[in-house]
Amino acid sequence: MDYQIYHFKSLASTQDKAKEFAREGLFNVIIISDLQTKGRGRFKRKWHSSKGGLWMSILLKPKNAGNLQYLTFAAAIAVVEAIKKNTKIKTNIKWPNDVHYKGKKLCGILTEGIFGKEDYAAVGFGLNVNQNHFPDDIKDIAASLRIIKNKKIDIDKLTKNIIKEFFKLYNNYYNKNKLKTIIQMWKRYCDTLNKNVIVTTKTKIISGKAIGVDENCNLLLKLKDNKIIKIIEGDLRVRY
Ligand code: BTN
């Protein structure tokens, strides 16, 4: 698959740059920035993006820009597999989009659709690679590969592998509508399932047992009274 990489020293957000490029009709384009001044996460949260991390967006023009949640799943799988290959560190996925190591967040993924005459998707990867420390507000919940390994990581090599793994999943499964395979692979790395969790949604806090995901990647939660509900969006707390 042909793609082009644009590497910047600083950007507000690689997601915003991806949107700009989409307006120009570009796709299969990868935007990387050494730092972001306005990096953002899910629910419009600020995403800490200092030097040392991998801040990257992959701009795509999928055949079917529905099912964007599957791109998030594919991205998380690609990150777990590339980390394993490059550093031997075994990481896990927390529904829907966090890659973590022993409960500390290493990577978040933000997939945004850009809908118009033609549809695009920007898959944003925020991976903590070579940071030595984090600001006070996230230092207890974040980890970097360098802190885990106690040595500097070859970020370029890792980036190349993430891109390679991601496009493999994108071309072989997402674009061929083999979405079940993506879920199966995702489940192998996801350690949220069969755990008691507390979910915070926009309107409430619910506790229950995470028992699976449905065909739209929503989380299925079994409540105390055995009722099963669907969680479309929310933050999850799991006891590891
Ligand atoms: C999350 O867990 O909330 C998702 C975080 C996604 C952060 C990445 S960094 C690269 C891309 N550009 C952004 O502004 N956000 C995403």
Side-chain angles (χ1 to χ4, degrees):
M1 159 85 96
D2 275 348
Y3 56 80
Q4 233 178 332
I5 300 182
Y6 291 82
H7 198 136
F8 297 85
K9 285 211 161 77
S10 172
L11 282 178
S13 156
T14 56
Q15 288 294 95
D16 294 344
K17 196 43 129 190
K19 286 185 182 169
E20 242 176 83
F21 281 167
R23 279 195 289 272
E24 294 168 20
L26 298 182
F27 59 96
N28 292 344
V29 158
I30 295 164
I31 299 118
I32 297 174
S33 186
D34 293 340
L35 62 90
Q36 297 183 115
T37 53
K38 273 191 170 170
R40 58 173 191 277
R42 290 197 306 146
F43 308 120
K44 301 207 174 103
R45 287 180 191 136
K46 175 180 162 353
W47 181 261
H48 179 73
S49 319
S50 61
K51 260 190 161 169
L54 170 64
W55 321 126
M56 167 170 85
S57 297
I58 302 186
L59 174 60
L60 305 162
K61 193 169 148 192
K63 285 191 192 126
N64 165 13
N67 300 323
L68 289 184
Q69 189 56 36
Y70 283 93
L71 290 177
T72 303
F73 274 30
I77 299 166
V79 168
V80 170
E81 295 199 328
I83 289 177
K84 199 163 78 192
K85 219 178 252 169
N86 285 51
T87 68
K88 309 255 179 347
I89 300 171
K90 282 195 183 153
T91 56
N92 285 102
I93 301 170
K94 184 176 96 168
W95 181 89
N97 72 331
D98 290 358
V99 176
H100 70 90
Y101 179 76
K102 297 189 177 163
K104 287 198 173 184
K105 183 155 168 170
L106 269 171
C107 178
I109 289 148
L110 177 71
T111 302
E112 295 175 307
I114 307 157
F115 303 113
K117 235 194 263 154
E118 292 180 295
D119 296 337
Y120 298 84
V123 186
F125 297 68
L127 173 61
N128 299 322
V129 182
N130 276 324
Q131 295 101 314
N132 267 328
H133 57 267
F134 292 102
D136 280 350
D137 54 330
I138 56 169
K139 74 172 194 300
D140 294 332
I141 51 168
S144 77
L145 296 173
R146 180 180 190 156
I147 294 172
I148 298 168
K149 276 293 234 197
N150 210 6
K151 73 171 198 226
K152 206 168 169 212
I153 306 295
D154 185 337
I155 191 167
D156 291 338
K157 231 186 189 168
L158 178 64
T159 305
K160 277 201 190 107
N161 261 328
I162 293 174
I163 295 169
K164 192 171 116 198
E165 296 294 339
F166 177 78
F167 273 117
K168 225 161 60 187
L169 295 162
Y170 178 67
N171 291 323
N172 293 345
Y173 307 116
Y174 185 81
N175 260 344
K176 291 201 175 127
N177 224 13
K178 293 186 183 161
L179 301 177
K180 271 199 186 131
T181 314
I182 296 182
I183 292 217
Q184 274 162 11
M185 294 178 81
W186 180 88
K187 276 187 176 164
R188 273 214 302 253
Y189 298 125
C190 173
D191 62 355
T192 305
L193 303 181
N194 299 317
K195 295 242 167 60
N196 288 317
V197 300
I198 298 168
V199 187
T200 309
T201 70
K202 271 191 197 131
T203 49
K204 50 189 168 210
I205 299 178
I206 317 160
S207 56
K209 189 169 180 181
I211 56 161
V213 284
D214 70 6
E215 70 287 355
N216 295 315
C217 305
N218 300 316
L219 185 73
L220 299 172
L221 198 69
K222 191 169 173 182
L223 308 180
K224 259 202 195 118
D225 59 6
N226 283 336
K227 216 164 85 187
I228 293 168
I229 60 164
K230 238 186 234 181
I231 307 287
I232 298 169
E233 252 192 357
D235 277 320
L236 215 77
R237 244 176 36 225
V238 191
R239 273 180 208 280
Y240 289 107

